[in-house]
């Protein structure tokens, strides 16, 4: 029997910076949707999408909150695209110590985009009627996926890297004898 | 908890350097909503008519509208109110942009300035931390330049800045307050800010704005977005393109300026140039705009792209919207390239794009006619464009003739004398207007121009079409989905309105119908100006997403104030009447309620008198335009009639005016 290739849905928000009009409706609706109860308040500072903008330099980059980073980058690069200079942070999704983006203003806890789970499409996309943000779902073939590791397994793997598997097995055996 | 509003104002005493955070009375919100409404209440209570514009006791009030900072699309307006140095009346100029929502997120609805700072300062509002900071190093800096410098020195790129330029510092009567892509320009509010020694107000906020009934509110917001999307692909047939869509007139997007250049007046609102718009000019102007414009841009939380970023060779980048695009061009009989270039300098100086070009054209007309002479213009270059730059530079510095011209055409003409008065011909209540001269009186516009206390003939009209449609079929088609009418009778008025014959201008719509139509249009503007909604999505265009039927729901579910159409209509009438009361107390009377003398060629004095008589009555005002005791009582404004009686404006017992105070007094500068 022939192996069936596995596929998974990749959710993609396509960002066309040329179409962004800088209105920040995406920030409004994102922060409203994630308020508790839903829509009970809004506050762009809590939004998981921010428009990095510098109107006089014509810089408009909508950017989504990604993973939390414990440390900031060692240096900063600058990109020049079509004659406009961008700080590399303009394209970085991390909630990181170098900036106030993607942190709860009260607690400083990191925020991360969840693509508005349960909604038809992310609400920032729905509210961006200038189409700077569009949503696409596509199926992608993936390599035979490894069984998802359980939490303990991940921990054990790290220990095995450090002490070697034999040592761990000895230790486990010893501990169970004691038990 | 307060919803939509924060429930706090900032009181800033610039003389003493005192800052207070003051809780507001929720009952005032219910009665006056917010924005223009609550500003009018504050001005009535605290600025008696003896207080002149440049008195330390005059207040300068920056209010975020009631629904600003909520997810309601397009609700982002700052309403600035004070006493105008030019009209000597209450002025409420407004700006879109990003400032008002930021103020809400910082935790305040309104900032009220009183007193005068001995040195130039700016106010820095950073959530709970509010401080008055030295601005000596910003003296003489451009308004946009100032904003950039402040953001840099505070290391707050996300702060929003409203600033004045040199014109405001030097108390030019038509100085504006600039806020990046937006400005509050009309009536000289920038001069009051400069008089108070206030260079800028900087705000940054990271707090929540709360909604009373979230799910209901969001559904209303989504309906508005759907309406905007639907209208985007379906322009209204039968009207010219700038009236067919939503938003402000899309001046930054359109290239075809045939209508403006051939129907508006050039110079000092003097000459109409028919056949101006040639293929050659169309091509040249298109190239100018295309090469200058880097992006179409929006205000906070709004998909309409009414503004643009403009970069002209050798000049700093700036942002523009709407009709400033052509005002300098028309005033100087020049081209778009000149218009966009001088507008860059004018924006940094911070002057009103309607008054400033007209004042300069007025000066040159006086020069050509020998009323002003070579002596007044010593050192002025001989080329046309150069003269405008020269005049602008003199005006904002109040140098030489510029010092006279800085007071606007009305006061300059008074000072110059020698027949100059007749050249200040395009004013309403001493304030320069759009350069528009037409042939046949339009009774609805007559009422709007004469009685509108925005004192501005642009964007006071709105939801009722400006002209009849030629065929009944077209009219029937138009009324089919006309859900915005407050009453079905307006559909009939429109259906029966013909281009010619018995049912045509000026006797149809009838006087009674005109009163109702003008009242409806004005009410929608007043509601917008209290809620902070952009007129471009509500009171200004045809068939907008916001109207009298969904606004009460927005207010109920958003602000948690029990509201229905009757109550909202009454509230709008209340603070509209209060605005009139403030001006009546400052001496405004029927004699002031008139359009520019030459606005129409064909006038109908009897009809005009009847229009005013009936409209005053309809509004609950007496024959002098003074709100009557009875109507004030109905609106819960007995405190106004009490004051009127004390001052002898109304007499106890009957509603006849006795003595008049004077709005004609020359201001000291």
């Amino acid at each position: 029997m022939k192996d069936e290739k596995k596929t998974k849905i990749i959710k993609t928000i396509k960002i066309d910076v040329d179409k962004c009009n800088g209105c920040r409706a995406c920030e409004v609706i994102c922060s409203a949707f994630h308020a508790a109860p839903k829509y009970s308040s809004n506050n762009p500072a809590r939004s998981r999408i921010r428009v990095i903008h510098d109107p006089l330099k014509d810089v408009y980059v909508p950017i989504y909150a990604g993973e939390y980073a414990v440390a900031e980058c060692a240096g900063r690069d600058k990109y020049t695209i079509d004659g406009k200079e961008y700080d590399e942070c303009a394209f970085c999704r991390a909630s990181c110590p170098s900036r106030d983006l993607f942190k709860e203003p009260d607690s400083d806890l990191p925020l991360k985009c969840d693509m508005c789970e349960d909604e038809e499409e992310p609400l920032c996309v729905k509210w961006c009627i200038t189409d700077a943000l569009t949503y696409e779902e596509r199926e992608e073939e993936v390599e035979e996926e490894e069984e998802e590791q359980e939490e303990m397994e991940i921990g054990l793997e790290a220990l095995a890297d450090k002490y070697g598997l034999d040592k761990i097995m000895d230790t486990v055996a010893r501990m169970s004898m004691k038990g | 908890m307060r919803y939509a509003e924060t429930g706090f104002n900032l009181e800033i005493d610039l003389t003493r350097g005192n800052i207070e955070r003051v809780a507001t009375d929720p009952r005032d919100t219910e009665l006056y909503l917010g924005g223009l409404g609550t500003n009018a209440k504050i001005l009535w209570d605290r600025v008696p008519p003896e207080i002149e514009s440049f008195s330390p006791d005059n207040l300068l009030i920056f209010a975020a509208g009631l629904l600003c900072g909520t997810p309601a699309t397009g609700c982002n307006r700052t309403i600035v109110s004070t006493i105008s140095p030019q009209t000597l009346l209450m002025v409420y100029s407004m700006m879109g942009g990003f400032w008002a929502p930021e103020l809400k997120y910082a935790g305040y609805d309104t900032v009220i300035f009183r007193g005068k700072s001995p040195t130039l300062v700016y106010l820095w509002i950073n959530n709970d931390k509010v401080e008055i900071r030295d601005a000596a190093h910003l003296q003489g800096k451009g308004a946009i330049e100032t904003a950039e410098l402040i953001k840099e020195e505070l290391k707050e790129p996300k702060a929003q800045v409203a600033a004045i330029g040199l014109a405001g510092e030097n108390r030019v009567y038509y100085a504006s307050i600039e806020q990046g892509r937006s400005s509050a320009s009309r009536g000289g509010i920038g001069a009051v800010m400069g008089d108070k020694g206030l260079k800028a107000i900087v705000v940054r906020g990271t707090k929540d704005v709360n909604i009373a009934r979230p799910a209901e509110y969001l559904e209303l917001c989504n309906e508005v977005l759907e309406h905007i999307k639907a209208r985007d692909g379906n322009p209204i047939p039968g009207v010219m393109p700038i009236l067919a869509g939503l938003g402000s007139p899309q001046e930054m997007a359109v290239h075809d300026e045939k209508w403006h250049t051939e129907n508006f007046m050039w110079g000092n609102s003097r000459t109409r140039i028919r056949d101006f718009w040639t293929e050659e000019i169309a091509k040249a102007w298109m190239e100018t705009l295309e090469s200058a414009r880097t992006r179409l841009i929006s205000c906070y939380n709004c998909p309409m792209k009414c503004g643009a970023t403009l970069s002209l060779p050798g000049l700093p980048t700036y942002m523009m919207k709407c009709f400033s695009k052509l005002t300098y061009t028309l005033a100087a009989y020049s081209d778009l390239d000149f218009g966009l270039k001088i507008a860059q300098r004018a924006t940094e100086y911070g002057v009103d794009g309607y008054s400033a070009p007209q004042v300069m054209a007025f000066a040159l007309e006086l020069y050509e006619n020998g009323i002003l002479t070579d002596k007044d213009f010593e050192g002025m270059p001989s080329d046309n464009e150069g003269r405008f730059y020269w005049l602008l530079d003199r005006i904002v510095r109040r140098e030489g003739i510029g010092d006279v011209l800085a007071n606007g055409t009305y006061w300059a003409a008074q000072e110059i004398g020698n027949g100059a008065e007749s050249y200040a011909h395009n004013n309403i209540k001493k304030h320069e207007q759009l350069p528009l001269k037409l042939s046949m009186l339009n009774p609805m516009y007559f009422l709007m121009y004469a009685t509108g206390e925005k004192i501005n003939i642009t964007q006071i009209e709105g939801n009722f079409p400006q002209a009849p449609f030629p065929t009944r079929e077209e009219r029937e088609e138009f009324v089919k989905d006309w859900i915005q009418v407050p009453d079905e009778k307006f559909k009939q008025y429109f259906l029966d309105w013909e281009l010619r014959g018995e049912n045509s201008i000026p006797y149809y719509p009838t006087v009674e119908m005109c009163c109702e139509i003008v009242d409806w249009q004005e009410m929608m503007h007043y509601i917008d100006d209290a809620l902070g909604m952009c007129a471009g999505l509500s009171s200004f265009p045809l068939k907008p997403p916001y109207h009298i039927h969904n606004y009460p729901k927005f207010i109920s579910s958003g602000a948690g104030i029990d509201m229905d159409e009757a109550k909202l209509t009454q509230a709008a009438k209340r603070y509209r009447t209060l605005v009139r009361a403030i001006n009546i107390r400052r001496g405004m009377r029927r004699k002031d309620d008139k359009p520019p003398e030459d606005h129409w060629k064909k006038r109908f004095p009897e009809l005009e008198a009847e229009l005013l008589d009936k409209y005053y009555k309809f509004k609950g005002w007496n024959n002098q335009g003074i709100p009557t005791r009875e109507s004030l009582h109905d609106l819960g404004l007995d405190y106004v009639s009490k004051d009127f009686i004390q001052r002898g404006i109304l007499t106890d017992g009957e509603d006849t005016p006795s003595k008049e105070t004077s709005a004609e007094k020359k201001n000291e500068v």
Side-chain angles (χ1 to χ4, degrees):
Chain A
M1 207 170 85
K2 206 174 134 194
D3 275 353
E4 269 186 44
K5 281 270 188 187
K6 283 208 170 177
T7 61
K8 71 173 179 185
I9 303 285
I10 307 284
K11 294 177 172 180
T12 309
I13 294 171
K14 295 168 83 174
I15 302 160
D16 184 342
V17 296
D18 290 335
K19 285 187 180 161
C20 179
N21 58 345
C23 79
R24 299 166 56 200
C26 49
E27 298 179 9
V28 175
I29 193 60
C30 174
S31 64
F33 177 75
H34 289 98
K38 207 184 265 188
Y39 306 124
S40 61
S41 69
N42 91 95
N43 175 0
R46 292 188 202 282
S47 174
R48 294 137 196 241
I49 174 171
R50 296 308 298 268
V51 182
I52 305 238
H53 59 284
D54 189 345
L56 293 177
K57 293 186 183 135
D58 195 44
V59 165
Y60 292 87
V61 185
I63 178 109
Y64 288 87
E67 289 301 329
Y68 168 68
V70 279
E72 60 185 284
C73 298
R76 297 274 198 291
D77 297 334
K78 297 256 187 200
Y79 288 84
T80 302
I81 304 170
D82 285 341
K84 286 184 274 184
E85 194 181 79
Y86 298 84
D87 200 283
E88 70 173 327
C89 301
F91 305 105
C92 176
R93 302 179 58 187
S95 171
C96 107
S98 75
R99 59 180 183 185
D100 64 355
L101 289 191
F102 307 141
K103 287 171 191 158
E104 280 285 355
D106 309 324
S107 62
D108 257 9
L109 287 171
L111 296 163
K112 186 180 165 183
C113 168
D114 59 2
M115 302 293 251
C116 295
E117 275 171 46
D118 307 333
E119 292 290 318
E120 250 170 64
E121 57 181 345
L123 291 187
C124 52
V125 173
K126 188 178 167 190
W127 274 51
C128 182
I129 67 177
T130 54
D131 288 341
L133 307 175
T134 47
Y135 182 64
E136 198 178 82
E137 276 182 7
R138 59 174 199 277
E139 275 185 74
E140 230 172 53
E141 287 190 348
V142 287
E143 293 298 313
E144 194 66 42
E145 217 176 324
E146 288 171 35
E147 283 297 309
E148 207 166 292
Q149 288 178 311
E150 283 178 24
E151 205 177 323
M152 187 160 51
E153 205 176 331
I154 296 169
L156 280 174
E157 208 165 70
L159 287 173
D161 285 347
K162 190 167 178 184
Y163 299 104
L165 199 55
D166 287 349
K167 193 154 188 189
I168 291 172
M169 283 164 70
D170 287 352
T171 311
V172 172
R174 208 164 51 234
M175 281 169 72
S176 54
M177 301 261 289
K178 275 185 196 165
Chain B
M1 190 178 354
R2 303 279 278 270
Y3 299 99
E5 59 177 346
T6 66
F8 291 98
N9 289 350
L10 275 176
E11 293 273 358
I12 314 290
D13 184 336
L14 289 162
T15 306
R16 296 167 52 224
N18 190 50
I19 297 167
E20 275 175 70
R21 176 173 177 263
V22 180
T24 57
D25 187 344
R27 282 172 303 183
D28 277 349
T29 312
E30 205 163 334
L31 292 171
Y32 307 97
L33 303 182
L36 173 61
T38 40
N39 283 7
K41 179 69 165 65
I42 294 165
L43 281 178
W44 171 270
D45 287 346
R46 292 168 55 182
V47 186
E50 302 77 33
I51 303 299
E52 292 186 344
S53 181
F54 293 152
S55 157
D57 294 331
N58 184 18
L59 300 181
L60 178 65
I61 310 172
F62 287 71
L66 177 61
L67 299 181
C68 287
T70 75
T73 294
C75 200
N76 50 43
R77 310 267 293 168
T78 307
I79 299 92
V80 188
S81 307
T82 188
I83 303 302
S84 162
Q86 187 186 42
T87 65
L88 312 182
L89 302 170
M90 174 179 168
V91 57
Y92 61 99
S93 194
M94 298 172 280
M95 56 187 171
F98 295 80
W99 199 91
E102 198 73 28
L103 184 70
K104 285 287 192 73
Y105 297 129
Y108 313 99
D109 301 315
T110 303
V111 188
I112 303 161
F113 294 95
R114 65 178 185 276
K116 283 189 198 194
S117 169
T119 55
L120 196 64
V121 293
Y122 72 88
L123 186 74
W124 168 218
I125 304 167
N126 186 10
N127 289 321
D128 294 335
K129 198 175 155 203
V130 183
E131 55 183 329
I132 297 170
R133 293 174 64 102
D134 177 46
H137 58 300
L138 300 169
Q139 189 156 16
K141 298 277 189 236
I144 308 304
E145 200 185 358
T146 295
E148 294 304 301
L149 287 168
I150 291 177
K151 284 192 279 185
E152 207 170 298
E153 79 180 35
L154 296 173
K155 296 193 172 47
E156 285 283 353
K158 292 196 204 78
Q160 301 298 337
V161 184
I164 54 169
L166 201 51
E169 286 181 40
N170 288 329
R171 306 196 300 184
V172 172
Y173 281 15
Y174 38 93
S176 61
I177 298 170
E178 300 285 333
Q179 185 221 141
R181 63 159 314 292
S182 302
S183 62
S185 302
R186 302 290 277 157
I189 53 172
V192 176
M193 188 156 154
D195 181 61
K196 295 202 170 301
L198 185 62
K199 180 69 178 173
I201 311 165
V202 189
V203 58
R204 172 82 181 113
T206 58
K207 298 189 197 182
D208 299 347
V209 169
N210 299 306
I211 295 298
R213 299 202 292 276
E216 199 182 323
Y217 195 75
L218 244 290
E219 198 182 319
L220 291 165
C221 292
N222 280 321
E223 281 169 18
V224 162
L225 267 188
E226 286 306 315
H227 184 106
I228 293 171
K229 272 199 275 186
R231 279 295 308 278
D232 189 35
N234 295 291
I236 289 175
V239 297
M240 64 177 134
I242 61 163
L243 300 174
L246 296 173
S248 270
Q250 299 294 296
E251 282 298 293
M252 295 297 106
V254 298
H255 290 300
D256 184 354
E257 291 293 359
K258 181 178 169 66
W259 188 77
H260 280 130
T261 54
E262 295 187 355
N263 286 286
F264 280 38
M265 307 307 256
W266 293 68
N268 179 24
S269 194
R270 285 294 182 197
T271 329
R272 188 162 167 185
I273 311 181
R274 290 174 204 276
D275 309 321
F276 172 83
W277 193 249
T278 61
E279 235 171 79
E280 199 183 326
I281 288 172
K283 190 164 167 278
W285 287 28
M286 183 169 87
E287 276 167 20
T288 299
L289 188 60
E290 291 277 338
S291 66
R293 189 182 61 199
T294 42
R295 184 182 298 258
L296 290 171
I297 51 173
S298 301
C299 295
Y300 185 71
N301 192 21
C302 181
M304 310 308 301
K305 290 175 275 192
C306 308
T309 315
L310 300 177
S311 288
L312 290 126
L315 295 178
T317 299
Y318 76 113
M319 294 176 264
M320 177 189 262
K321 78 271 163 213
C322 210
F323 196 61
S324 307
K325 176 184 174 185
L326 294 186
T327 51
Y328 292 94
T329 300
L330 262 60
Y333 296 96
S334 186
D335 57 19
L336 184 62
D337 183 60
F338 164 74
L340 296 185
K341 281 179 178 158
I342 195 169
Q344 186 277 325
R345 192 182 293 189
T347 303
E348 288 286 10
Y349 282 152
V351 288
D352 176 21
Y354 286 170
S355 288
Q358 190 154 123
V359 171
M360 296 190 278
F362 157 85
L364 292 173
E365 235 184 28
L366 293 180
Y367 182 44
E368 279 153 26
N369 288 280
I371 296 172
L372 290 175
T373 62
D374 285 334
K375 203 162 61 54
D376 299 306
F377 295 94
E378 220 169 292
M380 182 170 77
S382 56
D383 68 302
N384 180 39
E385 280 86 3
R387 289 169 156 197
F388 275 78
Y389 281 108
W390 185 87
L391 279 167
L392 182 61
D393 290 348
R394 300 282 92 62
I395 288 169
V396 300
R397 291 178 177 79
R398 282 190 173 274
E399 287 171 359
I401 191 67
D403 190 32
V404 180
L405 297 172
N407 295 346
T409 58
Y410 176 86
W411 295 110
Q414 299 284 310
E415 195 174 337
I416 294 163
N418 201 14
E421 293 88 344
S422 64
Y423 294 83
H425 68 111
N426 197 35
N427 297 337
I428 298 176
K429 300 182 173 81
K430 311 180 182 70
H431 188 41
E432 294 81 12
Q433 302 295 328
L434 195 71
L436 195 56
K437 300 291 162 203
L438 302 164
S439 61
M440 168 72 96
L441 175 98
N442 177 318
M444 289 169 285
Y445 278 77
F446 170 81
L447 283 178
M448 289 190 276
Y449 295 166
T451 66
E453 273 153 277
K454 200 184 235 174
I455 317 184
N456 191 359
I457 66 176
T458 45
Q459 296 211 352
I460 52 175
E461 67 273 55
N463 289 175
F464 198 85
Q466 295 194 3
F469 289 7
T471 67
R472 187 143 192 116
E473 290 71 41
E474 285 169 276
R475 300 197 285 270
E476 274 165 4
E477 193 58 36
F478 180 83
V479 302
K480 264 185 197 160
D481 61 350
W482 201 12
I483 54 163
Q484 291 80 359
V485 288
D487 190 292
E488 289 297 301
K489 67 187 171 194
F490 290 101
K491 292 184 180 172
Q492 199 57 47
Y493 298 169
F494 181 69
L495 284 170
D496 295 339
W497 191 16
E498 309 262 2
L499 272 169
R500 274 165 216 90
E502 219 167 279
N503 276 6
S504 73
I505 294 278
Y507 294 107
Y508 190 97
T510 65
V511 172
E512 286 76 12
M513 292 173 190
C514 286
C515 291
E516 291 171 338
I517 292 165
V518 171
D519 182 66
W520 164 32
Q521 306 207 119
E522 185 178 77
M523 173 180 73
M524 295 318 299
H525 279 280
Y526 271 79
I527 296 172
D528 288 348
D529 300 346
L531 302 183
M533 184 58 67
C534 176
L537 287 179
S538 176
S539 49
F540 183 61
L542 298 166
K543 299 184 180 175
Y546 294 101
H547 43 78
I548 191 64
H549 308 303
N550 62 3
Y551 261 152
K553 297 178 196 168
F554 269 95
I555 297 169
S556 307
S557 61
I561 297 168
D562 184 31
M563 192 59 73
D564 57 28
E565 287 183 32
K567 209 175 151 193
L568 180 56
T569 303
Q570 183 82 344
K573 192 173 179 187
R574 180 178 301 115
Y575 58 81
R576 193 274 169 264
T577 305
L578 198 53
V579 171
R580 172 140 290 238
I582 290 168
N583 289 333
I584 288 292
R585 200 164 69 162
R586 303 191 81 85
M588 189 184 78
R589 294 292 183 273
R590 184 183 180 120
K591 64 178 164 37
D592 303 301
D593 279 345
K594 57 183 187 204
E597 202 61 47
D598 57 358
H599 188 79
W600 291 286
K601 237 183 236 140
K602 284 182 213 149
R603 299 286 293 264
F604 298 80
E606 275 173 39
L607 174 63
E608 291 172 22
E610 191 193 344
L611 279 161
L612 270 191
D613 285 343
K614 294 230 166 102
Y615 187 64
Y616 282 172
K617 206 165 196 175
F618 184 90
K619 294 291 240 189
W621 307 339
N622 71 17
N623 202 35
Q624 279 300 307
I626 302 168
T628 63
R629 283 181 74 189
E630 197 187 359
S631 68
L632 289 167
H633 179 75
D634 291 345
L635 295 165
L637 298 176
D638 286 329
Y639 60 85
V640 172
S641 45
K642 202 176 142 205
D643 185 271
F644 277 179
I645 289 164
Q646 267 172 12
R647 293 177 187 277
I649 293 167
L650 290 175
T651 52
D652 208 356
E654 53 184 332
D655 283 323
T656 48
S658 48
K659 68 172 188 234
E660 286 185 15
T661 53
S662 174
E664 297 301 329
K665 197 167 43 152
K666 176 74 184 82
N667 252 31
E668 47 153 332
V669 156

